[in-house]
Amino acid sequence: WMKKVKQVTLENLTNADNFIIINPEEIGPFPVNYDERNWNLLASYLLDEGGRSKIPVYTRAKLLHDAWNLAYAGHLSFATAFNMTLFMQFERNHLVWNPVFTLIDHIGRHIDMSAVHKKFEIYVRTLLTPLYEELAQNQYEGEEKWKTNLRSLAKTFLCRAGYKPCIEEAQKVFKKWMDSPEPDLGNPVANQYICPVFKSGTQDEWEFGLQRVINFPESRVRSERTYLLKTLAGCPVQASKINRLLNLTVLEDNGNFTDNDINLIFKMLSGGSSGYMALFDFLQKNWDAIKLRFKDREMLWNNLINSATGLFTTQEGYDMVSQLYVQRQGEFGTAQHIIEKSLKNIKEETKWSQENLPVIEKWLDNFLNQHKISDDRFIR
């Protein structure tokens, strides 16, 4: 039937003041798009507790999932997709929340370099803070596993957004390690606390972690050192921390770090704009010294160029990489094809940003103007 008929007119539908839902509970594995009016009627209905409870859980999750994927594909306005998330302020079912964390992470990375990201972060706080604080207050032994997992996810994303109670808790646990008379014998800090400290904590706390990697005993499990190194590189947003690590491992060629370690650092820095922008600046300022260091280390050179130039998403980023390409024409060696591919990819990302960022920013501005957002529980 689907192969033969490309267009079907459905008869006896409700009037234009009511919405319709196609493929409820995701009976078939395909998304469904609607006109803007139908999407807005659905968004309004989901905001009402009585209405929301009448739409099954899987259908609520599907509506969210469809709206965002259609927006990414260019078939739906991001303003409409954002409208479909407003009911999440009141949603407490974990099955509906599951796709939301992926969506937050996805769009957060996409707009990471733009001025819109800060506004998006405040919006995320608005969605997640009531969810997490409610789950934290109602915690009990033997609770359902989904509650534990949902609380953990909400906490992780709030930590990234600088949620003070999370940061302070992590620093308190981390201090026990710093106060240990023999800190290299073992790591008493759970992994969940390390990234918040390295991201939002002090330079001294980060430096302590760096020294633990440098002095890591051969007798301990190497995966612990790898995790520490990944978080030292991938979590900070301060250029001072990133530059310290790059100077030590690349320019000073510290013997405690292997080529695999340096490749891992480059990879982790490419995970966010703070990392790859610091790496790009480092490359630009120290070009000749780095070229000399990596003269016979082609893999390191190629990975550096890829991580430092390939992740920009805006016109500003394109201009920066393009300028480097022109200035260093003929000096890229084995990474020539990598820088050219980076420019091509950034051009595509820039097109997406130019089309969608103004729409997203306008929606976020309206949302923030309508809601009084308290920032006192977050690190600025």
Side-chain angles (χ1 to χ4, degrees):
W1 180 79
M2 291 289 286
K3 290 178 182 176
K4 292 179 180 178
V5 184
K6 292 185 178 180
Q7 184 170 328
V8 174
T9 301
L10 301 178
E11 305 290 345
N12 303 318
L13 289 178
T14 183
N15 62 51
D17 293 327
N18 296 312
F19 61 79
I20 61 169
I21 295 178
I22 305 295
N23 194 22
E25 309 260 345
E26 201 159 22
I27 298 167
F30 54 86
V32 179
N33 202 355
Y34 306 98
D35 59 33
E36 188 176 351
R37 179 176 178 79
N38 198 75
W39 279 116
N40 288 336
L41 286 169
L42 282 165
S44 297
Y45 194 75
L46 286 165
L47 280 170
D48 177 72
E49 186 176 353
R52 186 166 60 255
S53 63
K54 293 177 183 177
I55 297 181
V57 169
Y58 283 107
T59 302
R60 300 203 298 271
K62 175 187 164 45
L63 288 169
L64 265 178
H65 192 263
D66 284 0
W68 278 82
N69 281 309
L70 288 163
Y72 272 116
H75 299 306
L76 186 67
S77 166
F78 266 101
T80 304
F82 269 99
N83 282 339
M84 288 299 295
T85 68
L86 289 173
F87 78 95
M88 296 306 296
Q89 298 171 79
F90 316 106
E91 180 63 64
R92 294 298 178 264
N93 191 288
H94 66 291
L95 295 172
V96 186
W97 270 103
N98 281 344
V100 176
F101 293 107
T102 303
L103 300 175
I104 290 172
D105 188 56
H106 195 170
I107 195 168
R109 291 176 186 275
H110 232 97
I111 67 176
D112 192 22
M113 190 184 170
S114 72
V116 183
H117 188 262
K118 191 64 181 176
K119 298 175 183 179
F120 177 71
E121 205 169 56
I122 297 172
Y123 158 74
V124 170
R125 295 172 184 175
T126 308
L127 290 187
L128 291 180
T129 303
L131 170 71
Y132 173 70
E133 292 184 347
E134 184 179 312
L135 287 169
Q137 288 173 1
N138 299 322
Q139 190 171 354
Y140 56 90
E141 191 175 342
E143 67 181 6
E144 298 95 323
K145 191 174 181 180
W146 68 262
K147 283 188 179 179
T148 306
N149 291 339
L150 183 57
R151 183 187 302 108
S152 176
L153 275 170
K155 184 178 182 180
T156 297
F157 277 77
L158 279 174
C159 279
R160 290 185 194 173
Y163 186 57
K164 281 183 183 177
C166 170
I167 309 302
E168 290 166 357
E169 179 189 5
Q171 287 179 305
K172 185 177 179 181
V173 174
F174 196 82
K175 190 176 184 302
K176 294 180 181 177
W177 191 14
M178 293 182 72
D179 291 341
S180 169
E182 295 182 299
D184 293 318
L185 293 183
N187 174 9
V189 181
N191 286 349
Q192 62 172 311
Y193 296 118
I194 293 176
C195 195
V197 172
F198 289 166
K199 178 180 181 178
S200 303
T202 66
Q203 184 79 25
D204 286 344
E205 288 168 329
W206 182 89
E207 184 68 35
F208 175 85
L210 178 60
Q211 293 305 316
R212 302 292 68 76
V213 170
I214 292 172
N215 300 318
F216 196 86
E218 290 291 334
S219 57
R220 284 177 56 194
V221 181
R222 299 295 291 176
S223 60
E224 292 182 22
R225 180 185 181 276
T226 301
Y227 184 82
L228 264 182
L229 185 58
K230 286 171 71 174
T231 49
L232 279 166
C235 296
V237 293
Q238 304 90 345
S240 60
K241 295 175 181 177
I242 297 169
N243 286 330
R244 164 83 169 114
L245 187 61
L246 290 172
N247 280 318
L248 184 69
T249 56
V250 177
L251 295 185
E252 297 174 22
D253 209 10
N254 187 290
N256 291 290
F257 297 91
T258 65
D259 283 4
N260 284 338
D261 289 336
I262 298 172
N263 274 322
L264 180 61
I265 290 168
F266 292 161
K267 180 181 178 182
M268 296 308 299
L269 289 176
S270 68
S273 64
S274 299
Y276 62 72
M277 286 183 72
L279 186 59
F280 180 86
D281 289 341
F282 179 79
L283 170 65
Q284 201 170 33
K285 292 173 182 175
N286 302 285
W287 180 276
D288 293 332
I290 296 170
K291 279 280 287 182
L292 189 62
R293 288 282 187 191
F294 290 173
K295 183 180 179 182
D296 299 314
R297 299 150 88 181
E298 288 183 1
M299 183 179 292
L300 281 177
W301 175 248
N302 291 347
N303 289 340
L304 169 60
I305 298 301
N306 185 50
S307 295
T309 66
L311 281 300
F312 290 92
T313 59
T314 63
Q315 185 63 46
E316 179 189 359
Y318 180 83
D319 292 342
M320 289 165 59
V321 176
S322 182
Q323 185 179 17
L324 178 70
Y325 178 68
V326 172
Q327 287 176 343
R328 298 295 180 178
Q329 187 69 45
E331 297 182 43
F332 286 92
T334 56
Q336 179 70 27
H337 70 288
I338 296 174
I339 184 72
E340 290 172 355
K341 183 181 178 183
S342 291
L343 285 166
K344 184 179 178 181
N345 290 344
I346 300 169
K347 197 73 174 175
E348 289 297 315
E349 291 292 342
T350 297
K351 183 181 176 184
W352 186 95
S353 296
Q354 289 172 340
E355 290 175 356
N356 294 296
L357 284 183
V359 176
I360 294 172
E361 184 167 29
K362 183 179 178 182
W363 189 93
L364 289 170
D365 285 339
N366 289 334
F367 176 84
L368 297 177
N369 286 335
Q370 292 171 15
H371 296 77
K372 288 188 176 181
I373 312 295
S374 174
D375 245 9
D376 58 345
R377 283 175 294 178
F378 289 86
I379 293 173
R380 297 179 186 276

